[in-house]
Amino acid sequence: ATWTWAIGSLYTKQQAARFNPYFGLGFQMVIAGALLLGISAFDPKFLPLHNIPTASWLAIAYLVVFGSLISFIAYLYALQHLPTEQASIYAYVNPIVAVLLGALLFNEKLTVVLMAGGLVTLYGVFLVNRAYKKSAAVAANDAEAAQ
């Protein structure tokens, strides 16, 4: 999933002027939803849509609006206005935010392994940002030297 996300991010960044990324995103979601619905229909544990409780539909609606629409629109906006390296960092920070919110809001346990994984992830984000800042500084120095 991480590799395909990275490839999709790079492709979107390169092709952003040629197509509407919001249409592409919606198209991907419709295709994925249709495929998942079709595949799940063959699952013996498949629950018909009319048997899904209202609370579940409300949770799904919340995830669609906040977990997909708003977050992906923000991601595409960042991808169009920031370097790809920085825009794609959110994919690594999101799980950390989700774990922390789960601990704060639902009293989920924060284990040593979870905290270590979060620290490793944050360190990776730090390294990416540091490398980006260094390469930007080198490019600025090269531009000044050329003048």
Side-chain angles (χ1 to χ4, degrees):
T2 303
W3 281 101
T4 57
W5 188 267
I7 291 167
S9 295
L10 291 171
Y11 179 78
T12 301
K13 184 74 171 178
Q14 290 175 344
Q15 302 297 323
R18 292 182 153 157
F19 70 94
N20 183 338
Y22 300 104
F23 172 78
L25 176 64
F27 191 64
Q28 290 173 32
M29 288 185 180
V30 168
I31 289 172
L35 284 173
L36 287 173
L37 184 62
I39 292 169
S40 64
F42 294 102
D43 185 347
K45 298 177 185 174
F46 179 73
L47 182 65
L49 296 178
H50 64 274
N51 289 346
I52 297 175
T54 303
S56 296
W57 281 116
L58 292 173
I60 290 169
Y62 171 82
L63 289 173
V64 165
V65 172
F66 294 100
S68 294
L69 293 176
I70 292 174
S71 63
F72 280 126
I73 288 170
Y75 171 69
L76 288 174
Y77 179 84
L79 196 57
Q80 291 171 345
H81 295 87
L82 295 172
T84 308
E85 301 87 6
Q86 287 185 323
S88 62
I89 285 174
Y90 103 97
Y92 301 104
V93 175
N94 262 359
I96 295 171
V97 173
V99 167
L100 292 175
L101 286 175
L104 290 171
L105 300 176
F106 302 112
N107 295 322
E108 293 178 357
K109 288 186 179 179
L110 279 179
T111 65
V112 173
V113 173
L114 280 174
M115 289 187 279
L119 290 174
V120 167
T121 302
L122 289 174
Y123 185 65
V125 169
F126 166 75
L127 291 176
V128 168
N129 275 320
R130 188 175 76 174
Y132 172 74
K133 287 178 183 175
K134 281 184 181 179
S135 66
V138 168
N141 287 340
D142 288 347
E144 285 179 16
Q147 291 178 356

